Amino acid sequence: MSDPDPERLVGELAYVTTRIRGPNQPGEVQVVQGGRTESFIAYGDEPIERGQQVLIVARRPGRALDVIFFAG
């Protein structure tokens, strides 16, 4: 599976599939782009539960992202 364009990920919404436990304890999110679902490691400043919607705020090396809770 090819890696989506990093520039397009910032500002996109994703769903937490594995709980994010805090800044140094990442979880996993799924992002839908171009009709495909992609999984990424996700870091947040605070715990975010599975099923919550998050906003991607930055891209890290590899398949990792920084996210924040999105109450939208």
Side-chain angles (χ1 to χ4, degrees):
M1 204 177 284
S2 66
D3 204 14
D5 182 351
E7 296 303 315
R8 288 194 200 159
L9 288 174
V10 174
E12 293 290 324
L13 297 175
Y15 287 92
V16 177
T17 55
T18 302
R19 183 177 186 260
I20 299 168
R21 296 173 301 276
N24 298 315
Q25 298 178 340
E28 185 177 89
V29 297
Q30 286 191 338
V31 181
V32 177
Q33 265 202 337
R36 293 186 349 215
T37 302
E38 302 262 0
S39 295
F40 292 87
I41 300 299
Y43 293 84
D45 288 340
E46 59 188 359
I48 305 172
E49 297 298 322
R50 183 174 184 256
Q52 297 296 311
Q53 193 172 37
V54 293
L55 177 67
I56 300 167
V57 295
R59 182 83 191 256
R60 292 185 179 209
R63 294 187 60 83
L65 307 168
D66 288 321
V67 300
I68 59 172
F69 176 74
F70 183 78

